[in-house]
Amino acid sequence: MRAARLIKLVLLLQARPSMTGPELAQELEVSERTVARDVLSLSEAGVPVYADRGRSGGYRLIGGYRTRLTGLGRSEAEALFLSGVPSALREMGLADAASAARLKVSAALLPELRDAATGAAQRFHLDAPAWYQEPRTPALLPAVAGAVRDDRRITARYLRKDTEVERQLEPYGLILKAGVWYLAARAQGDFRVYRVDRFTAVEVPDGGEDGAQGPMGGGGRFLRDEAFDLPAFWAERAAQFARSLLREEVVVRLSAHGVRRLPHVTERAAAEEAIDAARSGDGPDAQGRLTVRLAVESTEVAYAQLLQLGPEGEVLHPPALRERFAAAARRTAALYA
């Protein structure tokens, strides 16, 4: 355990110019006193770790020291081989690069770990597309992916409803959601999301030096905003999109089992929010049933979703939806009479 921590400490300092004691303690999940003892042990072992004193001090490696102490354990090697989605790499045109990388990693492993790649592949498989749909790779995805990797501006034409429009974009990142590719890009100073399969043409201008600045649409690379966080950006936009779909409201009385089931048959965040609000309000009635006000996309969608609750949910409002459930219940009862 301690040996693994010492290795990680060296690798952290090798990857960064300097780190403070609190930063290392947080990364290693130990106390600052333990960090100081580990640094002393490394120094005694000949690793040139230098401690800068003072308020802005910290630990750093001196003399351009580099270590080859990068051996992987079995679980680490298996996790590395599982870290990509094979179909996604293939669609972005990175299958050959990924294969070469796996071969290099395999060659660097200890002999007893060489089977990590095949062992992981036979035990775990990542399948990105959703059920009941045939995944289609956007023809322009490799070009977009290349621009994302190189921080190059693109001129893109895409379909917006029935109209084709043209935009100059700074492509920041690609997201694969349930088999559909999305591009996070900056256009006219704002970050937006585009479906890659709606692009009809993508032009990646040549020329321009790394970090070259210029008006949108100019050739070459753009200056990337280092504060941009792709996972956080997508999580926020996905939540906004899901919330924007919920334009209507229904009132449902739920049994205890219905309360547990609701997040599994409707939009989870909306269901949990409705349940929390009901519990903090009037709470369950004398029969133990909880009445919730649930945001839904439409009454049509709500009918299909809430029907899965069966007798564990009773629709109270709107009246037309309640009558539709009552009619469905009568037809069901007739079938089993």
Side-chain angles (χ1 to χ4, degrees):
M1 182 69 178
R2 184 167 184 263
R5 189 176 70 242
L6 292 174
I7 292 172
K8 185 175 181 180
L9 194 156
V10 173
L11 295 176
L12 284 170
L13 294 178
Q14 185 171 296
R16 307 178 191 179
S18 176
M19 293 185 70
T20 65
E23 288 174 339
L24 284 170
Q26 182 177 3
E27 288 279 358
L28 300 172
E29 298 181 349
V30 296
S31 66
E32 293 182 48
R33 181 173 295 181
T34 299
V35 170
R37 288 199 298 266
D38 287 349
V39 168
L40 180 61
S41 297
L42 288 171
S43 296
E44 292 174 349
V47 178
V49 182
Y50 180 78
D52 290 315
R53 304 296 180 183
R55 178 174 299 180
S56 59
Y59 298 99
R60 61 186 176 88
L61 293 172
I62 60 176
Y65 178 83
R66 306 290 292 178
T67 178
R68 295 183 178 274
L69 196 59
T70 56
L72 297 174
R74 175 169 294 279
S75 60
E76 295 170 323
E78 291 178 347
L80 181 61
F81 284 113
L82 286 172
S83 61
V85 181
S87 61
L89 294 171
R90 183 172 58 253
E91 291 175 6
M92 288 190 293
L94 295 175
D96 291 341
S99 177
R102 284 192 292 269
L103 287 173
K104 291 178 180 179
V105 172
S106 296
L109 292 174
L110 294 173
E112 59 267 27
L113 300 181
R114 297 283 168 81
D115 65 337
T118 55
Q122 293 303 321
R123 288 168 175 81
F124 305 99
H125 177 67
L126 304 176
D127 185 10
W131 289 103
Y132 312 121
Q133 68 177 37
E134 184 66 27
R136 296 180 179 178
T137 304
L140 297 173
L141 178 62
V144 174
V148 169
R149 288 196 302 272
D150 294 339
D151 293 337
R152 285 194 177 276
R153 297 182 179 90
I154 63 174
T155 300
R157 291 199 300 274
Y158 71 99
L159 293 175
R160 189 171 62 186
K161 295 184 179 179
D162 296 329
T163 306
E164 187 177 71
V165 298
E166 183 175 288
R167 292 288 185 272
Q168 283 75 48
L169 306 176
E170 294 178 351
Y172 268 67
L174 284 165
I175 305 101
L176 178 61
K177 171 70 172 178
V180 179
W181 286 95
Y182 297 89
L183 173 69
R186 184 162 58 184
Q188 300 176 344
D190 295 326
F191 286 101
R192 303 175 186 179
V193 176
Y194 302 86
R195 278 187 59 146
V196 179
D197 58 5
R198 292 181 182 170
F199 287 174
T200 59
V202 171
E203 179 185 351
V204 184
D206 295 326
E209 299 299 325
D210 289 0
Q213 301 187 65
M216 285 296 295
R221 295 179 172 89
F222 60 89
L223 283 176
R224 190 178 183 88
D225 183 354
E226 296 302 329
F228 179 78
D229 185 333
L230 181 61
F233 169 79
W234 175 253
E236 179 183 354
R237 290 302 175 92
Q240 290 176 357
F241 176 73
R243 180 63 62 188
S244 70
L245 296 177
L246 307 179
R247 301 184 180 93
E248 299 187 32
E249 184 179 84
V250 299
V251 181
V252 188
R253 186 156 49 214
L254 302 165
S255 67
H257 182 63
V259 170
R260 292 192 295 270
R261 286 280 299 145
L262 188 65
H264 299 284
V265 302
T266 64
E267 206 279 322
R268 177 176 290 275
E272 292 175 346
E273 182 179 313
I275 292 170
D276 290 342
R279 283 173 172 165
S280 62
D282 296 335
D285 59 18
Q287 288 76 39
R289 289 181 168 260
L290 189 69
T291 300
V292 303
R293 306 182 71 88
L294 177 68
V296 296
E297 183 176 345
S298 66
T299 55
E300 187 68 31
V301 171
Y303 175 76
Q305 293 175 335
L306 297 176
L307 201 60
Q308 300 176 65
L309 296 178
E312 308 302 328
E314 177 191 1
V315 174
L316 304 179
H317 185 82
L321 183 60
R322 177 179 174 84
E323 175 53 35
R324 189 173 179 184
F325 271 88
R330 289 192 294 268
R331 292 198 306 272
T332 302
L335 288 174
Y336 290 93

